Amino acid sequence: NAGVTQTPKFRVLKTGQSMTLLCAQDMNHEYMYWYRQDPGMGLRLIHYSVGEGTTAKGEVPDGYNVSRLKKQNFLLGLESAAPSQTSVYFCASKVSGEQYFGPGTRLTVT
Amino acid sequence: GIQVEQSPPDLILQEGANSTLRCNFSDSVNNLQWFHQNPWGQLINLFYIPSGTKQNGRLSATTVATERYSLLYISSSQTTDSGVYFCAVEGNYGGSQGNLIFGKGTKLSVKP
């Protein structure tokens, strides 16, 4: 039982490049979330999913897209990266009201 | 939406001291969680506590939902307690339902 895992751990992109962050959970949780954390801040919700095939926007969705084709995976895509998307990205899954977080992906856009 | 305020923003302790961290929230909530973000950036679940009191070793937490606050107590602090402590709440209506709203955190530094 690995919990929530994220791939990759670190990435540097140039402005305009695209990439996909992968979140995987092996706990059969229905709910999954993508957050971003900027320096000195708490986490802010980007997108979330309440089950396979469903996604919804969070507080800061602009510039991101998501997909949940399989229950255990939640993908976060950046189609055209911007310096403002430099951040640490956390994925989480939820069961019985409690959210569990992955280790994070540190993304730098130059 | 719900506002979450944590205090103090920064706290410096000598090893062995006790401390209380506070989380105020502006509306009724379904759930409340406390997290510790260690110096390596990991978010560690401390308590899932929408109401009542829980204890886990040197840490305990109390949430008084009717008065919209939660407290995290750290006793006999150790250098490994250093990091940022976040309170996060899940609203029970509207756009915040099901999603966690985070406070800005309390940065704790424990000196040996």
Side-chain angles (χ1 to χ4, degrees):
Chain A
N1 186 338
V4 180
T5 59
Q6 293 183 231
T7 308
K9 289 185 170 50
F10 304 93
R11 185 73 186 267
V12 178
L13 285 180
K14 294 187 176 178
T15 298
Q17 287 184 319
S18 63
M19 77 163 295
T20 301
L21 284 67
L22 170 64
C23 175
Q25 52 97 2
D26 60 2
M27 299 172 284
N28 205 35
H29 293 172
E30 291 291 341
Y31 291 72
M32 295 186 74
Y33 304 84
W34 275 107
Y35 294 87
R36 62 177 287 173
Q37 184 180 28
D38 299 306
M41 303 275 291
L43 280 66
R44 293 182 294 167
L45 183 68
I46 304 171
H47 285 280
Y48 65 100
S49 169
V50 301
E52 182 178 319
T54 70
T55 62
K57 293 181 180 179
E59 180 186 354
V60 288
D62 293 343
Y64 305 95
N65 55 73
V66 288
S67 64
R68 183 103 181 265
L69 298 179
K70 293 183 179 180
K71 187 176 184 179
Q72 62 269 34
N73 295 338
F74 194 28
L75 278 64
L76 178 71
L78 286 73
E79 289 187 349
S80 180
S84 60
Q85 294 178 303
T86 293
S87 191
V88 180
Y89 292 85
F90 286 95
C91 175
S93 65
K94 182 172 82 170
V95 65
S96 301
E98 186 169 2
Q99 290 194 25
Y100 297 86
F101 284 80
T105 294
R106 186 172 296 274
L107 175 66
T108 301
V109 183
T110 61
Chain B
I2 292 179
Q3 305 298 313
V4 181
E5 292 185 0
Q6 293 186 242
S7 59
D10 295 279
L11 186 58
I12 300 174
L13 296 176
Q14 206 66 35
E15 199 168 26
N18 303 329
S19 62
T20 301
L21 282 58
R22 187 176 179 101
C23 173
N24 291 334
F25 43 96
S26 61
D27 210 330
S28 57
V29 298
N30 278 336
N31 301 314
L32 186 146
Q33 290 185 243
W34 282 99
F35 298 91
H36 174 213
Q37 188 167 40
N38 64 24
W40 296 271
Q42 265 188 305
L43 277 167
I44 299 163
N45 288 39
L46 296 178
F47 294 102
Y48 168 68
I49 186 167
S51 64
T53 297
K54 291 186 176 180
Q55 180 154 10
N56 184 1
R58 297 180 296 103
L59 273 61
S60 64
T62 295
T63 296
V64 183
T66 52
E67 297 187 22
R68 299 180 185 168
Y69 73 89
S70 183
L71 302 173
L72 177 68
Y73 305 95
I74 304 174
S75 64
S76 304
S77 58
Q78 301 176 357
T79 56
T80 51
D81 294 332
S82 296
V84 182
Y85 289 80
F86 287 106
C87 168
V89 304
E90 178 185 319
N92 61 8
Y93 69 93
S96 61
Q97 186 171 8
N99 309 321
L100 284 179
I101 309 297
F102 280 76
K104 292 187 176 181
T106 291
K107 185 176 181 181
L108 175 65
S109 299
V110 181
K111 306 296 185 186

